[in-house]
Amino acid sequence: MRIYTKVILFLGISSFFTISAQNQVHNYVDPMIGSEGVGRVFIGPSCPYGMVKPSPDCTVNSNSGWLPLPKEVTGFSQIHVSGTGGGPKYGNIQIMPFSGALDKLDQTSFRAEENVKLGYYETVFKENQIKTEITTSDRASFYRITYPKNASKDLKIDPGFFLGESPEPEGREAQQFVGSQIEIVSDHEVRGYSRIRGGWNNGRAYTVYFWATFDQPIAKYVTWKDGKFYANQSSQFDSGKKTAALLSFGKEGKQELNVKIGISFLSELKAKNNIEVEIPNWDFSTVLSNLENKWEQLLSRVKLSPDTSDEYKKMFYTGLYHTMIMPVDRTGENPLWTNDEPYYDDFYCIWDTFRSSSPLITLLDPKREVEIVNAMLNIYKRDGYMPEGRSGNDNGRTQGGSNAETVVADAFVKNLKGIDYEVALKAMLKDATVPPGGNEEKEGRGGLMEYLRLGYVPYNVPRAGNMTIDFSYNDYNIATVAKGLGYTDLYNQYMKQADSWQNLWRSDYENNGAKGFIMPKDAAGNWLDDIVFGESKIQKPTFKYTPVIIESPWYVCHWCVFFYEATSWEYSFSIPHDVPELIRKSGGDDAFKKRLDIFFDSKLYNVANEPSFLTPCLYHWIGKPYLSSDRVHDIIKDNFNASHTGIPGNDDSGAMSSWLAFHMMGLYPNAGQPYYLLNAPLIKETTIQLENGKSFKITAKNSSDKNKYIKAAFLNGKPYNKAWILHDDIMNGGELIFEMDSKPSAWGTTILPPKK
């Protein structure tokens, strides 16, 4: 009887843990969402904001390393980025299992199958049936490689490999080889480094050091350098030539080879220490479980109603996941200066992420956002400017404004503690007052002197249109922080400069039934219809600029355009700090509604363009939030899903994913300002566990495909008639209840979002 009772008890406990595991929200993350098409997300294992991101490299041409089957695999590298456009970055310290003679460096293979989930990657190669499994800690990767019975267990380690290699010397946005080194330290250890420069940010050289350890002894090896093999020569020093090693662990013993690879940006010994600290054992399952637990603790801060569909759960939690794998926490791994302050790298790019990624991290993981902002200030103190884009320990790529200002202002208005806002204001003012002196693509504000002198950036300066708009908003961000710190004169100065976008508003220009657009103007104040391109002083060819032109003709430098990655139709809506004035200039509420309708119905809206992120919500400012909800829901329905192509543009370090996650909850931030716009949620109940110990619940009562409009709202039991909510109201905890109906109502139509 006692034995029977124990069996029942054991089965009950087993069932409980099985159900509990099934309910863990990290199981809804699908790293493959957005992996194909234009999403370009990283598909391998990563810890939250993890430095090491191991995954397969399918040739040198993919930004994230991975490409879909049947593309071949050249090996598995330890460092990658997620969702990026432009040129690739990283792809450092590649390994590749194989079986055969140690006589060729190319061990390219094809995948017979592939299995991907959060924290885990697995593939089996067609040619040799070798199975490779990968998981990781923050700074060390773990490989479990299973070879066929009686096959030799061989492994390539190639620190000379990197993504984005181009035959063109000094190719723009291509990575360039600088040096590499490899040494077989013992029969269980190999160390070395890879030194590369360039990539999407055209950055200076960075060095990735590694230390690899094996759970079986090396039986024989050859090293390789500059096309030649060297038998029993245990090291190849750095002489500016590519190096590698081929190792054999023989046929004897178990067919499973375990490999740990520590990574460091400081030294080989630091890479070894990262293994010892983070993965002191040889238990693959324990490392995977630790990674899963880190994500579970973070992702479970948001709970969705049990009746939420699996597809929505996958879309939502994967959206959170993608938002929290970059930027990368490299605290203690900074080769440029030494201090105890946080250090983060791989900001790609703040022009993309300030709009939704940073606000989402602020809401769900504010301590992390404090670290990120402090890291930006740390970079300012040592490198001279806060980053706009940064990778490989180097600033690079200012697509528009100095948008770190918006991130700082967003933290300030949401009362994040632990940031020296006096230093932050100095960093913001450096951007706004000191030209970067030839480094306009790298940091600071290009065209700054023209902007200060004319009140706008004239056409001859690359990206003049979106820089003028961005600088105006960045100046508003400076004014916000200056006012909060008591600097009235600075506040007045920068609030005035925040109107600078109006200097490029061509009020009489008509296009597609709308009137008034941001248009090119030269330094003499002349509006430009025919744009001269090229630098010839004899011939001056032109092209006609209109509000619907997509960047520029193919023969014009894509980086030198008036509007970067968008049209005037899109950017002429992108005035997040002064929507009421934009409405007035567009002809009033009715004309603005018509303008928005034309924009969406004529398919001038591009969901993949970050400058249009806020645009679907602009109906809020004319008292029609239900139309914002309609647009948002249609955009999600038509462009987002749980498939491998489920992200409609480059994810850009979680920018697209965070936009989706916010709207599924029914919230959307206006970054740099202390409120969220409210739309009809796609999820019936969302509970956010706040870091201060309180929780905030959003409930959509009677929500269905038919009942998609908000009839009434109640905040903590009291009627709530605004279609926006302050950040402080959320942080105070409680519940926001929406009563849903089948038709629009007067809810949210009278108290409009805050003005400038």
Side-chain angles (χ1 to χ4, degrees):
M1 188 69 178
R2 230 177 250 169
I3 294 174
Y4 178 76
T5 303
K6 287 181 179 179
V7 170
I8 293 295
L9 180 61
F10 172 77
L11 290 175
I13 293 173
S14 299
S15 298
F16 170 78
F17 283 115
T18 300
I19 294 169
S20 178
Q22 289 173 346
N23 288 336
Q24 289 187 312
V25 299
H26 77 263
N27 290 317
Y28 290 106
V29 172
D30 182 358
M32 299 303 291
I33 294 176
S35 60
E36 297 184 39
V38 292
R40 294 183 175 181
V41 299
F42 172 71
I43 61 99
S46 174
C47 291
Y49 313 95
M51 188 176 85
V52 169
K53 290 179 168 56
S55 79
D57 297 311
C58 305
T59 76
V60 300
N61 299 318
S62 173
N63 284 44
S64 65
W66 182 90
L67 290 171
L69 278 72
K71 202 65 179 173
E72 67 269 26
V73 172
T74 61
F76 303 90
S77 295
Q78 316 314 310
I79 310 287
H80 294 92
V81 290
S82 183
T84 66
K89 191 80 176 183
Y90 302 131
N92 310 101
I93 317 302
Q94 188 180 85
I95 72 168
M96 184 63 167
F98 67 99
S99 189
L102 308 184
D103 60 358
K104 64 176 183 176
L105 195 66
D106 184 2
Q107 300 295 341
T108 297
S109 298
F110 290 85
R111 293 159 289 178
E113 58 184 84
E114 196 170 47
N115 179 25
V116 180
K117 66 175 186 175
L118 180 145
Y120 177 81
Y121 174 87
E122 176 197 36
T123 192
V124 177
F125 290 133
K126 285 182 179 179
E127 295 85 351
N128 49 33
Q129 297 303 300
I130 295 173
K131 180 170 76 172
T132 302
E133 299 169 274
I134 317 173
T135 191
T136 190
S137 65
D138 282 296
R139 300 178 181 194
S141 51
F142 197 132
Y143 292 78
R144 182 166 62 189
I145 305 167
T146 306
Y147 297 80
K149 190 175 182 180
N150 299 322
S152 61
K153 304 184 291 289
D154 306 320
L155 186 71
K156 175 179 75 172
I157 302 182
D158 184 1
F161 178 88
F162 57 94
L163 293 171
E165 184 172 12
S166 169
E168 177 188 350
E170 309 300 326
R172 182 179 174 88
E173 297 196 7
Q175 290 203 109
Q176 306 289 331
F177 180 79
V178 177
S180 71
Q181 184 166 295
I182 196 163
E183 179 185 6
I184 298 164
V185 182
S186 71
D187 61 357
H188 283 82
E189 298 167 298
V190 176
R191 67 183 178 184
Y193 64 76
S194 170
R195 183 170 291 126
I196 309 295
R197 63 185 175 86
W200 67 266
N201 66 327
N202 291 325
R204 60 192 166 199
Y206 64 92
T207 304
V208 179
Y209 299 92
F210 78 94
W211 192 288
T213 64
F214 318 102
D215 70 340
Q216 296 187 42
I218 300 168
K220 62 179 179 178
Y221 62 83
V222 298
T223 55
W224 180 92
K225 186 175 187 176
D226 195 26
K228 296 180 181 179
F229 287 100
Y230 298 85
N232 297 317
Q233 187 168 318
S234 62
S235 64
Q236 296 294 339
F237 63 84
D238 185 355
S239 60
K241 304 294 183 181
K242 291 185 178 182
T243 61
L246 301 179
L247 315 175
S248 179
F249 298 86
K251 296 182 179 180
E252 304 301 320
K254 64 188 181 77
Q255 294 307 112
E256 179 185 292
L257 173 68
N258 289 289
V259 182
K260 295 186 287 191
I261 304 174
I263 293 296
S264 174
F265 284 79
L266 295 181
S267 70
E268 294 161 346
L269 288 176
K270 182 63 166 61
K272 180 182 181 182
N273 180 256
N274 287 340
I275 297 176
E276 293 169 345
V277 169
E278 296 185 357
I279 314 180
N281 54 59
W282 286 102
D283 190 334
F284 185 94
S285 297
T286 296
V287 178
L288 174 57
S289 178
N290 288 341
L291 185 156
E292 290 173 337
N293 288 338
K294 286 181 179 180
W295 278 111
E296 185 64 26
Q297 291 174 19
L298 188 54
L299 299 176
S300 63
R301 293 180 184 180
V302 186
K303 292 290 178 64
L304 309 183
S305 50
D307 62 350
T308 305
S309 69
D310 282 354
E311 181 176 39
Y312 272 8
K313 287 178 181 177
K314 288 178 182 178
M315 291 166 63
F316 180 79
Y317 285 113
T318 304
L320 299 189
Y321 169 79
H322 282 150
T323 304
M324 297 174 180
I325 56 178
M326 286 172 56
V328 168
D329 184 356
R330 291 194 191 150
T331 303
E333 286 284 349
N334 183 359
L336 303 179
W337 58 81
T338 301
N339 58 34
D340 295 327
E341 297 174 45
Y343 181 69
Y344 282 69
D345 200 2
D346 295 333
F347 292 91
Y348 189 99
C349 279
I350 296 177
W351 183 85
D352 302 284
T353 59
F354 82 80
R355 308 167 201 268
S356 52
S357 300
S358 290
L360 186 58
I361 296 170
T362 295
L363 182 62
L364 302 183
D365 196 5
K367 287 181 182 176
R368 179 74 68 168
E369 185 65 16
V370 168
E371 288 188 2
I372 291 170
V373 172
N374 280 328
M376 290 163 50
L377 298 180
N378 198 9
I379 291 166
Y380 152 73
K381 288 185 232 178
R382 302 316 192 281
D383 275 358
Y385 288 91
M386 290 188 289
E388 167 63 20
R390 186 179 178 90
S391 205
N393 304 306
D394 199 12
N395 284 351
R397 282 294 179 267
T398 56
Q399 294 168 292
S402 48
N403 296 303
E405 270 92 280
T406 314
V407 178
V408 170
D410 199 65
F412 183 76
V413 298
K414 292 171 182 173
N415 202 28
L416 294 194
K417 304 297 185 184
I419 297 168
D420 188 335
Y421 289 107
E422 293 283 351
V423 171
L425 182 59
K426 290 178 182 177
M428 299 165 86
L429 291 171
K430 173 76 176 289
D431 283 333
T433 58
V434 181
N439 288 331
E440 288 82 4
E441 284 192 18
K442 181 178 180 180
E443 55 202 359
R445 296 187 184 184
L448 175 61
M449 299 313 293
E450 292 92 333
Y451 174 76
L452 295 177
R453 177 168 56 89
L454 301 171
Y456 62 93
V457 182
Y459 176 75
N460 64 303
V461 179
R463 305 179 305 288
N466 59 290
M467 284 202 296
T468 299
I469 291 173
D470 286 355
F471 293 172
S472 299
Y473 190 44
N474 300 151
D475 286 342
Y476 173 78
N477 301 141
I478 293 172
T480 298
V481 176
K483 181 180 181 181
L485 295 177
Y487 297 106
T488 303
D489 290 344
L490 278 176
Y491 166 74
N492 291 332
Q493 175 187 345
Y494 283 94
M495 279 298 281
K496 182 178 179 181
Q497 287 183 201
D499 290 336
S500 296
W501 64 274
Q502 298 180 36
N503 295 323
L504 287 184
W505 183 268
R506 190 170 174 180
S507 58
D508 61 347
Y509 197 101
E510 296 187 37
N511 185 270
N512 280 298
K515 191 174 182 180
F517 289 90
I518 303 287
M519 295 294 283
K521 183 188 284 187
D522 66 18
N526 301 309
W527 295 112
L528 302 179
D529 292 311
D530 296 313
I531 302 295
V532 176
F533 66 91
E535 298 179 359
S536 171
K537 295 182 179 179
I538 301 172
Q539 295 180 328
K540 295 188 177 181
T542 65
F543 67 91
K544 185 168 291 293
Y545 194 89
T546 73
V548 296
I549 193 169
I550 305 296
E551 294 192 355
S552 65
W554 63 268
Y555 44 79
V556 177
C557 159
H558 86 282
W559 198 252
C560 308
V561 295
F562 181 64
F563 278 131
Y564 180 73
E565 287 192 1
T567 66
S568 179
W569 256 100
E570 295 173 273
Y571 266 112
S572 294
F573 281 118
S574 188
I575 314 295
H577 62 298
D578 203 2
V579 179
E581 180 61 20
L582 174 63
I583 293 169
R584 191 189 69 78
K585 284 187 172 295
S586 298
D589 289 3
D590 292 342
F592 193 70
K593 177 186 178 299
K594 179 183 175 184
R595 184 187 189 106
L596 282 168
D597 290 344
I598 293 169
F599 183 59
F600 290 106
D601 296 340
S602 299
K603 305 199 182 304
L604 296 168
Y605 169 76
N606 183 352
V607 65
N609 274 354
E610 281 81 0
S612 291
F613 270 17
L614 182 65
T615 309
C617 294
L618 294 185
Y619 292 97
H620 277 61
W621 275 269
I622 56 172
K624 300 181 184 299
Y626 55 90
L627 293 179
S628 294
S629 293
D630 280 344
R631 294 298 183 188
V632 167
H633 289 196
D634 286 344
I635 291 165
I636 292 173
K637 179 183 176 182
D638 294 341
N639 297 280
F640 291 88
N641 55 61
S643 75
H644 291 191
T645 57
I647 298 177
N650 296 159
D651 197 42
D652 291 326
S653 191
M656 290 283 160
S657 292
S658 53
W659 184 94
L660 173 67
F662 261 126
H663 278 306
M664 293 184 79
M665 292 189 287
L667 302 172
Y668 193 70
N670 193 358
Q673 301 177 63
Y675 62 88
Y676 304 84
L677 300 167
L678 299 175
N679 282 305
L682 290 177
I683 298 166
K684 291 182 180 179
E685 288 184 7
T686 303
T687 303
I688 303 170
Q689 187 61 49
L690 302 168
E691 204 169 66
N692 61 13
K694 299 177 182 179
S695 64
F696 188 78
K697 186 176 183 180
I698 303 170
T699 301
K701 284 189 173 181
N702 303 315
S703 176
S704 67
D705 290 341
K706 182 180 178 182
N707 293 338
K708 61 179 183 177
Y709 296 105
I710 300 172
K711 179 181 178 181
F714 300 88
L715 179 61
N716 298 328
K718 296 180 180 179
Y720 192 82
N721 297 317
K722 297 181 293 187
W724 51 277
I725 187 170
L726 290 172
H727 179 77
D728 284 350
D729 287 334
I730 292 177
M731 298 309 293
N732 288 334
E735 183 174 14
L736 177 64
I737 296 175
F738 295 122
E739 290 186 355
M740 308 302 293
D741 200 358
S742 61
K743 58 183 182 297
S745 73
W747 177 83
T749 61
T750 55
I751 307 174
L752 303 182
K755 297 181 180 180
K756 184 178 71 169

